[in-house]
Amino acid sequence: MGRVYNFSAGPAVLPEEVLKEAAAEMLDYNGTGMSVMEMSHRSKAYQEILDTAEKDLRELVNIPDNYKVLFLQGGASQQFAMIPMNLMKNKVADYIITGQWAKKAYQEACIYGKANPVASSADETFSYIPDCSDLPISEDADYVYICENNTIYGTKFKTLPNTKGKTLVADVSSCFLSEPVDVTKYGVIYGGVQKNIGPAGVVIVIIREDLITEDTLPGTPTMLKYKTHADAGSLYNTPPAYGIYICGKVFQWLKKQGGLAAMKERNEEKAKILYDFLDESELFRGTVRKEDRSLMNVPFVTGREELDAKFVKEAKAAGFENLKGHRTVGGMRASIYNAMPKEGVEKLVAFMKKFEEENKENL
Ligand SMILES: *Cc1c(COP(=O)(O)O)cnc(C)c1O
């Protein structure tokens, strides 16, 4: 059995080159006689892996010197709590609710302070991004929170909200490193890496230094303070060492591809192939307002549940895996992250055309 085209939303496809390199180094990393999985996180060999990963990430994203890069655990979901625990000095924060992940982050923040839902697209099943040019931002808000790319619903902020001078915090789990970012517009950028960068178990936090303080909410555990990890260079305790090593390899792969500007171009090209087909198809249609469409997660439906199920089943048999939509929305979703080759999208569209031809009588 060869490799399939894996359209999973996460954990998701990784570059084949990276997997092969990791396989070749599995038993003996760089002459150490052991796997990266087996080495001390305090060893010179591992420190080099960590330092190189951070250096490459800084270069790729052009991260200014006054931002720290933290490699943490607990997934993106742990950040739902760490953010209010570390940033809610006034115990007030504004949340823009554009999907389930933003909603979960908002609900978590409600435990710690006054979280205000200042905008939402729940009225139309999160199929669009609300106008965020003039929101009722709270005067004493510690930050404004967004989920920049909504993995489940397939929407993406094309312009950042007007935070009226407040710190912007963004969950970028499913669009991390898919295009260039101006880090200076954010206080915190974070994401679980299992969507677009590496294996589950690592979350990367890019945080402006002035937001890292001792002044966290009372009772904040040591492990949940940004300061703990910033002061220790992400080595306060044993980090997700193997996962970081794979992330480092993906950073190098991205550099070889030409960096984030090149990735954006490619991602736009790939997404266009799929969206153009959805726009002209008589059987399939996209579910998201056109101007808010994600480059990474593309949900679509036939409009008939039995036909959706038939499509997912036949697609799987043809080597296109994980096209079933999220359990809460149904239909289909193709996640076409950085590591999905253009060929995978072209072949999927060819398969969809064939399916449409064969199922025309059901229209
Ligand atoms: C997957 C996902 C999460 C949750 O990630 P975990 O690492 O499982 O906690 C949060 N936010 C977004 C945008 C996601 O795509």
Side-chain angles (χ1 to χ4, degrees), residues 212-248:
I212 306 172
T213 65
E214 274 292 3
D215 179 26
T216 55
L217 295 187
T220 300
T222 307
M223 274 294 286
L224 299 189
K225 293 180 181 175
Y226 289 126
K227 190 159 193 325
T228 302
H229 301 284
D231 286 353
S234 299
L235 285 169
Y236 171 73
N237 68 326
T238 319
Y242 194 79
I244 295 170
Y245 153 77
I246 300 289
C247 291

PDB file of all heavy atoms in Angstrom, residues 212-248:
ATOM      1  N   ILE A 212       4.922  39.162  29.033  1.00  0.00           N
ATOM      2  CA  ILE A 212       5.408  38.069  29.885  1.00  0.00           C
ATOM      3  C   ILE A 212       5.779  38.655  31.243  1.00  0.00           C
ATOM      4  O   ILE A 212       6.804  39.313  31.375  1.00  0.00           O
ATOM      5  CB  ILE A 212       6.654  37.395  29.259  1.00  0.00           C
ATOM      6  CG1 ILE A 212       6.347  36.948  27.827  1.00  0.00           C
ATOM      7  CG2 ILE A 212       7.136  36.240  30.123  1.00  0.00           C
ATOM      8  CD1 ILE A 212       7.571  36.457  27.063  1.00  0.00           C
ATOM      9  N   THR A 213       4.915  38.434  32.238  1.00  0.00           N
ATOM     10  CA  THR A 213       5.184  39.027  33.550  1.00  0.00           C
ATOM     11  C   THR A 213       4.944  38.012  34.663  1.00  0.00           C
ATOM     12  O   THR A 213       4.362  36.961  34.443  1.00  0.00           O
ATOM     13  CB  THR A 213       4.256  40.238  33.814  1.00  0.00           C
ATOM     14  OG1 THR A 213       2.906  39.762  33.895  1.00  0.00           O
ATOM     15  CG2 THR A 213       4.369  41.292  32.723  1.00  0.00           C
ATOM     16  N   GLU A 214       5.373  38.394  35.864  1.00  0.00           N
ATOM     17  CA  GLU A 214       5.088  37.598  37.065  1.00  0.00           C
ATOM     18  C   GLU A 214       3.643  37.790  37.494  1.00  0.00           C
ATOM     19  O   GLU A 214       3.086  37.010  38.252  1.00  0.00           O
ATOM     20  CB  GLU A 214       5.995  38.079  38.227  1.00  0.00           C
ATOM     21  CG  GLU A 214       7.358  37.452  38.268  1.00  0.00           C
ATOM     22  CD  GLU A 214       7.351  35.958  38.610  1.00  0.00           C
ATOM     23  OE1 GLU A 214       6.272  35.356  38.772  1.00  0.00           O
ATOM     24  OE2 GLU A 214       8.457  35.400  38.687  1.00  0.00           O
ATOM     25  N   ASP A 215       3.072  38.882  36.998  1.00  0.00           N
ATOM     26  CA  ASP A 215       1.763  39.330  37.450  1.00  0.00           C
ATOM     27  C   ASP A 215       0.641  38.540  36.761  1.00  0.00           C
ATOM     28  O   ASP A 215      -0.115  39.057  35.959  1.00  0.00           O
ATOM     29  CB  ASP A 215       1.667  40.835  37.129  1.00  0.00           C
ATOM     30  CG  ASP A 215       0.336  41.423  37.539  1.00  0.00           C
ATOM     31  OD1 ASP A 215      -0.289  40.875  38.463  1.00  0.00           O
ATOM     32  OD2 ASP A 215      -0.078  42.422  36.907  1.00  0.00           O
ATOM     33  N   THR A 216       0.550  37.239  37.120  1.00  0.00           N
ATOM     34  CA  THR A 216      -0.494  36.394  36.543  1.00  0.00           C
ATOM     35  C   THR A 216      -1.651  36.316  37.531  1.00  0.00           C
ATOM     36  O   THR A 216      -1.531  36.775  38.666  1.00  0.00           O
ATOM     37  CB  THR A 216       0.057  34.979  36.268  1.00  0.00           C
ATOM     38  OG1 THR A 216       0.611  34.475  37.491  1.00  0.00           O
ATOM     39  CG2 THR A 216       1.156  35.012  35.230  1.00  0.00           C
ATOM     40  N   LEU A 217      -2.754  35.715  37.124  1.00  0.00           N
ATOM     41  CA  LEU A 217      -3.888  35.587  38.051  1.00  0.00           C
ATOM     42  C   LEU A 217      -3.468  34.741  39.254  1.00  0.00           C
ATOM     43  O   LEU A 217      -2.669  33.807  39.112  1.00  0.00           O
ATOM     44  CB  LEU A 217      -5.086  34.950  37.359  1.00  0.00           C
ATOM     45  CG  LEU A 217      -5.733  35.739  36.222  1.00  0.00           C
ATOM     46  CD1 LEU A 217      -7.004  35.045  35.758  1.00  0.00           C
ATOM     47  CD2 LEU A 217      -6.046  37.171  36.640  1.00  0.00           C
ATOM     48  N   PRO A 218      -3.990  35.047  40.443  1.00  0.00           N
ATOM     49  CA  PRO A 218      -3.638  34.269  41.636  1.00  0.00           C
ATOM     50  C   PRO A 218      -3.941  32.788  41.405  1.00  0.00           C
ATOM     51  O   PRO A 218      -4.979  32.455  40.834  1.00  0.00           O
ATOM     52  CB  PRO A 218      -4.561  34.839  42.721  1.00  0.00           C
ATOM     53  CG  PRO A 218      -5.013  36.164  42.216  1.00  0.00           C
ATOM     54  CD  PRO A 218      -4.973  36.115  40.731  1.00  0.00           C
ATOM     55  N   GLY A 219      -3.005  31.963  41.842  1.00  0.00           N
ATOM     56  CA  GLY A 219      -3.227  30.521  41.701  1.00  0.00           C
ATOM     57  C   GLY A 219      -2.772  29.940  40.377  1.00  0.00           C
ATOM     58  O   GLY A 219      -2.920  28.741  40.151  1.00  0.00           O
ATOM     59  N   THR A 220      -2.224  30.770  39.488  1.00  0.00           N
ATOM     60  CA  THR A 220      -1.750  30.246  38.198  1.00  0.00           C
ATOM     61  C   THR A 220      -0.601  29.263  38.439  1.00  0.00           C
ATOM     62  O   THR A 220       0.411  29.632  39.038  1.00  0.00           O
ATOM     63  CB  THR A 220      -1.256  31.392  37.285  1.00  0.00           C
ATOM     64  OG1 THR A 220      -2.340  32.289  37.064  1.00  0.00           O
ATOM     65  CG2 THR A 220      -0.755  30.864  35.947  1.00  0.00           C
ATOM     66  N   PRO A 221      -0.756  28.020  37.996  1.00  0.00           N
ATOM     67  CA  PRO A 221       0.332  27.051  38.206  1.00  0.00           C
ATOM     68  C   PRO A 221       1.616  27.491  37.494  1.00  0.00           C
ATOM     69  O   PRO A 221       1.556  28.150  36.453  1.00  0.00           O
ATOM     70  CB  PRO A 221      -0.210  25.769  37.563  1.00  0.00           C
ATOM     71  CG  PRO A 221      -1.687  25.962  37.470  1.00  0.00           C
ATOM     72  CD  PRO A 221      -1.915  27.429  37.323  1.00  0.00           C
ATOM     73  N   THR A 222       2.737  27.126  38.075  1.00  0.00           N
ATOM     74  CA  THR A 222       4.041  27.464  37.504  1.00  0.00           C
ATOM     75  C   THR A 222       4.122  27.083  36.015  1.00  0.00           C
ATOM     76  O   THR A 222       4.618  27.852  35.200  1.00  0.00           O
ATOM     77  CB  THR A 222       5.141  26.675  38.271  1.00  0.00           C
ATOM     78  OG1 THR A 222       4.958  26.932  39.661  1.00  0.00           O
ATOM     79  CG2 THR A 222       6.529  27.097  37.851  1.00  0.00           C
ATOM     80  N   MET A 223       3.617  25.899  35.715  1.00  0.00           N
ATOM     81  CA  MET A 223       3.698  25.393  34.337  1.00  0.00           C
ATOM     82  C   MET A 223       2.842  26.190  33.361  1.00  0.00           C
ATOM     83  O   MET A 223       2.981  26.070  32.154  1.00  0.00           O
ATOM     84  CB  MET A 223       3.255  23.917  34.303  1.00  0.00           C
ATOM     85  CG  MET A 223       4.352  22.924  34.601  1.00  0.00           C
ATOM     86  SD  MET A 223       5.638  22.903  33.328  1.00  0.00           S
ATOM     87  CE  MET A 223       4.795  22.040  32.001  1.00  0.00           C
ATOM     88  N   LEU A 224       1.890  26.970  33.885  1.00  0.00           N
ATOM     89  CA  LEU A 224       0.992  27.715  32.997  1.00  0.00           C
ATOM     90  C   LEU A 224       1.354  29.194  32.904  1.00  0.00           C
ATOM     91  O   LEU A 224       0.595  30.002  32.390  1.00  0.00           O
ATOM     92  CB  LEU A 224      -0.464  27.537  33.444  1.00  0.00           C
ATOM     93  CG  LEU A 224      -0.983  26.096  33.423  1.00  0.00           C
ATOM     94  CD1 LEU A 224      -2.489  26.055  33.661  1.00  0.00           C
ATOM     95  CD2 LEU A 224      -0.650  25.371  32.124  1.00  0.00           C
ATOM     96  N   LYS A 225       2.550  29.529  33.444  1.00  0.00           N
ATOM     97  CA  LYS A 225       3.026  30.912  33.316  1.00  0.00           C
ATOM     98  C   LYS A 225       3.961  31.012  32.117  1.00  0.00           C
ATOM     99  O   LYS A 225       4.929  30.253  32.023  1.00  0.00           O
ATOM    100  CB  LYS A 225       3.789  31.336  34.579  1.00  0.00           C
ATOM    101  CG  LYS A 225       2.915  31.428  35.803  1.00  0.00           C
ATOM    102  CD  LYS A 225       3.749  31.849  37.015  1.00  0.00           C
ATOM    103  CE  LYS A 225       2.848  31.909  38.248  1.00  0.00           C
ATOM    104  NZ  LYS A 225       3.584  32.183  39.470  1.00  0.00           N
ATOM    105  N   TYR A 226       3.701  31.962  31.254  1.00  0.00           N
ATOM    106  CA  TYR A 226       4.609  32.161  30.122  1.00  0.00           C
ATOM    107  C   TYR A 226       6.030  32.441  30.617  1.00  0.00           C
ATOM    108  O   TYR A 226       7.001  32.026  30.012  1.00  0.00           O
ATOM    109  CB  TYR A 226       4.127  33.322  29.238  1.00  0.00           C
ATOM    110  CG  TYR A 226       2.873  32.996  28.452  1.00  0.00           C
ATOM    111  CD1 TYR A 226       1.745  33.813  28.517  1.00  0.00           C
ATOM    112  CD2 TYR A 226       2.823  31.869  27.636  1.00  0.00           C
ATOM    113  CE1 TYR A 226       0.600  33.518  27.795  1.00  0.00           C
ATOM    114  CE2 TYR A 226       1.674  31.569  26.914  1.00  0.00           C
ATOM    115  CZ  TYR A 226       0.568  32.393  26.993  1.00  0.00           C
ATOM    116  OH  TYR A 226      -0.565  32.095  26.281  1.00  0.00           O
ATOM    117  N   LYS A 227       6.119  33.154  31.740  1.00  0.00           N
ATOM    118  CA  LYS A 227       7.427  33.557  32.250  1.00  0.00           C
ATOM    119  C   LYS A 227       8.297  32.338  32.571  1.00  0.00           C
ATOM    120  O   LYS A 227       9.505  32.338  32.316  1.00  0.00           O
ATOM    121  CB  LYS A 227       7.259  34.445  33.488  1.00  0.00           C
ATOM    122  CG  LYS A 227       8.566  35.090  33.914  1.00  0.00           C
ATOM    123  CD  LYS A 227       8.344  36.313  34.779  1.00  0.00           C
ATOM    124  CE  LYS A 227       9.592  37.155  34.951  1.00  0.00           C
ATOM    125  NZ  LYS A 227      10.856  36.457  35.030  1.00  0.00           N
ATOM    126  N   THR A 228       7.674  31.312  33.128  1.00  0.00           N
ATOM    127  CA  THR A 228       8.412  30.095  33.470  1.00  0.00           C
ATOM    128  C   THR A 228       9.152  29.558  32.242  1.00  0.00           C
ATOM    129  O   THR A 228      10.331  29.216  32.295  1.00  0.00           O
ATOM    130  CB  THR A 228       7.422  29.004  33.969  1.00  0.00           C
ATOM    131  OG1 THR A 228       6.712  29.526  35.081  1.00  0.00           O
ATOM    132  CG2 THR A 228       8.139  27.725  34.332  1.00  0.00           C
ATOM    133  N   HIS A 229       8.423  29.489  31.137  1.00  0.00           N
ATOM    134  CA  HIS A 229       8.991  28.880  29.929  1.00  0.00           C
ATOM    135  C   HIS A 229       9.908  29.841  29.182  1.00  0.00           C
ATOM    136  O   HIS A 229      10.896  29.432  28.588  1.00  0.00           O
ATOM    137  CB  HIS A 229       7.857  28.380  29.040  1.00  0.00           C
ATOM    138  CG  HIS A 229       6.992  27.370  29.738  1.00  0.00           C
ATOM    139  ND1 HIS A 229       7.402  26.066  29.935  1.00  0.00           N
ATOM    140  CD2 HIS A 229       5.775  27.484  30.332  1.00  0.00           C
ATOM    141  CE1 HIS A 229       6.453  25.415  30.606  1.00  0.00           C
ATOM    142  NE2 HIS A 229       5.464  26.240  30.856  1.00  0.00           N
ATOM    143  N   ALA A 230       9.570  31.136  29.243  1.00  0.00           N
ATOM    144  CA  ALA A 230      10.404  32.135  28.574  1.00  0.00           C
ATOM    145  C   ALA A 230      11.770  32.208  29.262  1.00  0.00           C
ATOM    146  O   ALA A 230      12.813  32.201  28.605  1.00  0.00           O
ATOM    147  CB  ALA A 230       9.715  33.496  28.598  1.00  0.00           C
ATOM    148  N   ASP A 231      11.768  32.225  30.592  1.00  0.00           N
ATOM    149  CA  ASP A 231      13.025  32.311  31.346  1.00  0.00           C
ATOM    150  C   ASP A 231      13.903  31.079  31.129  1.00  0.00           C
ATOM    151  O   ASP A 231      15.124  31.157  31.222  1.00  0.00           O
ATOM    152  CB  ASP A 231      12.751  32.458  32.852  1.00  0.00           C
ATOM    153  CG  ASP A 231      12.253  33.854  33.205  1.00  0.00           C
ATOM    154  OD1 ASP A 231      12.261  34.725  32.305  1.00  0.00           O
ATOM    155  OD2 ASP A 231      11.836  34.075  34.365  1.00  0.00           O
ATOM    156  N   ALA A 232      13.274  29.946  30.871  1.00  0.00           N
ATOM    157  CA  ALA A 232      14.033  28.695  30.754  1.00  0.00           C
ATOM    158  C   ALA A 232      14.283  28.293  29.300  1.00  0.00           C
ATOM    159  O   ALA A 232      14.751  27.169  29.046  1.00  0.00           O
ATOM    160  CB  ALA A 232      13.280  27.585  31.485  1.00  0.00           C
ATOM    161  N   GLY A 233      13.971  29.193  28.367  1.00  0.00           N
ATOM    162  CA  GLY A 233      14.207  28.854  26.958  1.00  0.00           C
ATOM    163  C   GLY A 233      13.463  27.595  26.532  1.00  0.00           C
ATOM    164  O   GLY A 233      14.000  26.754  25.809  1.00  0.00           O
ATOM    165  N   SER A 234      12.236  27.464  26.971  1.00  0.00           N
ATOM    166  CA  SER A 234      11.372  26.296  26.678  1.00  0.00           C
ATOM    167  C   SER A 234      11.931  24.990  27.243  1.00  0.00           C
ATOM    168  O   SER A 234      11.545  23.907  26.802  1.00  0.00           O
ATOM    169  CB  SER A 234      11.106  26.137  25.175  1.00  0.00           C
ATOM    170  OG  SER A 234      10.444  27.256  24.645  1.00  0.00           O
ATOM    171  N   LEU A 235      12.846  25.101  28.218  1.00  0.00           N
ATOM    172  CA  LEU A 235      13.405  23.890  28.832  1.00  0.00           C
ATOM    173  C   LEU A 235      13.219  23.902  30.345  1.00  0.00           C
ATOM    174  O   LEU A 235      14.077  23.444  31.088  1.00  0.00           O
ATOM    175  CB  LEU A 235      14.896  23.751  28.485  1.00  0.00           C
ATOM    176  CG  LEU A 235      15.237  23.308  27.066  1.00  0.00           C
ATOM    177  CD1 LEU A 235      16.729  23.464  26.790  1.00  0.00           C
ATOM    178  CD2 LEU A 235      14.798  21.874  26.807  1.00  0.00           C
ATOM    179  N   TYR A 236      12.097  24.434  30.804  1.00  0.00           N
ATOM    180  CA  TYR A 236      11.821  24.399  32.250  1.00  0.00           C
ATOM    181  C   TYR A 236      11.699  22.949  32.705  1.00  0.00           C
ATOM    182  O   TYR A 236      12.234  22.534  33.711  1.00  0.00           O
ATOM    183  CB  TYR A 236      10.536  25.163  32.562  1.00  0.00           C
ATOM    184  CG  TYR A 236      10.074  24.981  33.989  1.00  0.00           C
ATOM    185  CD1 TYR A 236      10.750  25.607  35.038  1.00  0.00           C
ATOM    186  CD2 TYR A 236       8.983  24.163  34.282  1.00  0.00           C
ATOM    187  CE1 TYR A 236      10.350  25.417  36.351  1.00  0.00           C
ATOM    188  CE2 TYR A 236       8.575  23.976  35.598  1.00  0.00           C
ATOM    189  CZ  TYR A 236       9.257  24.604  36.624  1.00  0.00           C
ATOM    190  OH  TYR A 236       8.861  24.416  37.916  1.00  0.00           O
ATOM    191  N   ASN A 237      10.946  22.189  31.900  1.00  0.00           N
ATOM    192  CA  ASN A 237      10.865  20.741  32.132  1.00  0.00           C
ATOM    193  C   ASN A 237      11.134  20.070  30.786  1.00  0.00           C
ATOM    194  O   ASN A 237      11.531  20.743  29.832  1.00  0.00           O
ATOM    195  CB  ASN A 237       9.500  20.354  32.721  1.00  0.00           C
ATOM    196  CG  ASN A 237       8.386  20.548  31.722  1.00  0.00           C
ATOM    197  OD1 ASN A 237       8.441  21.467  30.901  1.00  0.00           O
ATOM    198  ND2 ASN A 237       7.388  19.701  31.777  1.00  0.00           N
ATOM    199  N   THR A 238      10.919  18.774  30.723  1.00  0.00           N
ATOM    200  CA  THR A 238      11.179  18.081  29.465  1.00  0.00           C
ATOM    201  C   THR A 238      10.196  18.569  28.403  1.00  0.00           C
ATOM    202  O   THR A 238       8.988  18.441  28.585  1.00  0.00           O
ATOM    203  CB  THR A 238      10.989  16.554  29.634  1.00  0.00           C
ATOM    204  OG1 THR A 238      11.546  16.169  30.882  1.00  0.00           O
ATOM    205  CG2 THR A 238      11.633  15.801  28.496  1.00  0.00           C
ATOM    206  N   PRO A 239      10.689  19.134  27.334  1.00  0.00           N
ATOM    207  CA  PRO A 239       9.770  19.616  26.295  1.00  0.00           C
ATOM    208  C   PRO A 239       9.324  18.442  25.413  1.00  0.00           C
ATOM    209  O   PRO A 239       9.871  17.342  25.531  1.00  0.00           O
ATOM    210  CB  PRO A 239      10.640  20.590  25.505  1.00  0.00           C
ATOM    211  CG  PRO A 239      12.017  20.031  25.610  1.00  0.00           C
ATOM    212  CD  PRO A 239      12.096  19.356  26.968  1.00  0.00           C
ATOM    213  N   PRO A 240       8.348  18.657  24.542  1.00  0.00           N
ATOM    214  CA  PRO A 240       7.973  17.611  23.581  1.00  0.00           C
ATOM    215  C   PRO A 240       9.089  17.484  22.535  1.00  0.00           C
ATOM    216  O   PRO A 240       9.006  18.008  21.421  1.00  0.00           O
ATOM    217  CB  PRO A 240       6.659  18.123  22.988  1.00  0.00           C
ATOM    218  CG  PRO A 240       6.690  19.600  23.193  1.00  0.00           C
ATOM    219  CD  PRO A 240       7.529  19.868  24.398  1.00  0.00           C
ATOM    220  N   ALA A 241      10.165  16.820  22.958  1.00  0.00           N
ATOM    221  CA  ALA A 241      11.448  16.910  22.247  1.00  0.00           C
ATOM    222  C   ALA A 241      11.386  16.388  20.808  1.00  0.00           C
ATOM    223  O   ALA A 241      11.881  17.039  19.887  1.00  0.00           O
ATOM    224  CB  ALA A 241      12.515  16.147  23.046  1.00  0.00           C
ATOM    225  N   TYR A 242      10.787  15.236  20.632  1.00  0.00           N
ATOM    226  CA  TYR A 242      10.767  14.681  19.268  1.00  0.00           C
ATOM    227  C   TYR A 242       9.892  15.532  18.346  1.00  0.00           C
ATOM    228  O   TYR A 242      10.240  15.786  17.197  1.00  0.00           O
ATOM    229  CB  TYR A 242      10.288  13.220  19.278  1.00  0.00           C
ATOM    230  CG  TYR A 242      10.575  12.527  17.969  1.00  0.00           C
ATOM    231  CD1 TYR A 242      11.856  12.041  17.681  1.00  0.00           C
ATOM    232  CD2 TYR A 242       9.588  12.398  17.003  1.00  0.00           C
ATOM    233  CE1 TYR A 242      12.132  11.435  16.473  1.00  0.00           C
ATOM    234  CE2 TYR A 242       9.863  11.786  15.788  1.00  0.00           C
ATOM    235  CZ  TYR A 242      11.130  11.303  15.526  1.00  0.00           C
ATOM    236  OH  TYR A 242      11.410  10.709  14.319  1.00  0.00           O
ATOM    237  N   GLY A 243       8.777  15.994  18.883  1.00  0.00           N
ATOM    238  CA  GLY A 243       7.875  16.835  18.089  1.00  0.00           C
ATOM    239  C   GLY A 243       8.563  18.114  17.626  1.00  0.00           C
ATOM    240  O   GLY A 243       8.412  18.534  16.475  1.00  0.00           O
ATOM    241  N   ILE A 244       9.333  18.723  18.515  1.00  0.00           N
ATOM    242  CA  ILE A 244      10.043  19.959  18.157  1.00  0.00           C
ATOM    243  C   ILE A 244      11.076  19.677  17.059  1.00  0.00           C
ATOM    244  O   ILE A 244      11.264  20.471  16.131  1.00  0.00           O
ATOM    245  CB  ILE A 244      10.714  20.575  19.409  1.00  0.00           C
ATOM    246  CG1 ILE A 244       9.651  21.029  20.417  1.00  0.00           C
ATOM    247  CG2 ILE A 244      11.627  21.746  19.023  1.00  0.00           C
ATOM    248  CD1 ILE A 244      10.192  21.423  21.790  1.00  0.00           C
ATOM    249  N   TYR A 245      11.702  18.523  17.174  1.00  0.00           N
ATOM    250  CA  TYR A 245      12.686  18.113  16.154  1.00  0.00           C
ATOM    251  C   TYR A 245      12.031  18.018  14.770  1.00  0.00           C
ATOM    252  O   TYR A 245      12.568  18.526  13.768  1.00  0.00           O
ATOM    253  CB  TYR A 245      13.290  16.781  16.607  1.00  0.00           C
ATOM    254  CG  TYR A 245      13.832  15.838  15.571  1.00  0.00           C
ATOM    255  CD1 TYR A 245      15.077  16.053  14.964  1.00  0.00           C
ATOM    256  CD2 TYR A 245      13.126  14.684  15.227  1.00  0.00           C
ATOM    257  CE1 TYR A 245      15.571  15.146  14.044  1.00  0.00           C
ATOM    258  CE2 TYR A 245      13.625  13.770  14.317  1.00  0.00           C
ATOM    259  CZ  TYR A 245      14.844  14.003  13.717  1.00  0.00           C
ATOM    260  OH  TYR A 245      15.331  13.105  12.815  1.00  0.00           O
ATOM    261  N   ILE A 246      10.839  17.434  14.710  1.00  0.00           N
ATOM    262  CA  ILE A 246      10.130  17.345  13.418  1.00  0.00           C
ATOM    263  C   ILE A 246       9.710  18.741  12.948  1.00  0.00           C
ATOM    264  O   ILE A 246       9.866  19.079  11.773  1.00  0.00           O
ATOM    265  CB  ILE A 246       8.898  16.414  13.503  1.00  0.00           C
ATOM    266  CG1 ILE A 246       9.310  14.985  13.897  1.00  0.00           C
ATOM    267  CG2 ILE A 246       8.115  16.413  12.189  1.00  0.00           C
ATOM    268  CD1 ILE A 246      10.058  14.221  12.827  1.00  0.00           C
ATOM    269  N   CYS A 247       9.227  19.573  13.860  1.00  0.00           N
ATOM    270  CA  CYS A 247       8.883  20.956  13.486  1.00  0.00           C
ATOM    271  C   CYS A 247      10.102  21.638  12.859  1.00  0.00           C
ATOM    272  O   CYS A 247       9.988  22.319  11.840  1.00  0.00           O
ATOM    273  CB  CYS A 247       8.435  21.763  14.701  1.00  0.00           C
ATOM    274  SG  CYS A 247       6.852  21.261  15.374  1.00  0.00           S
ATOM    275  N   GLY A 248      11.256  21.439  13.477  1.00  0.00           N
ATOM    276  CA  GLY A 248      12.490  22.030  12.959  1.00  0.00           C
ATOM    277  C   GLY A 248      12.763  21.588  11.531  1.00  0.00           C
ATOM    278  O   GLY A 248      13.178  22.383  10.683  1.00  0.00           O
TER     279      GLY A 248
END
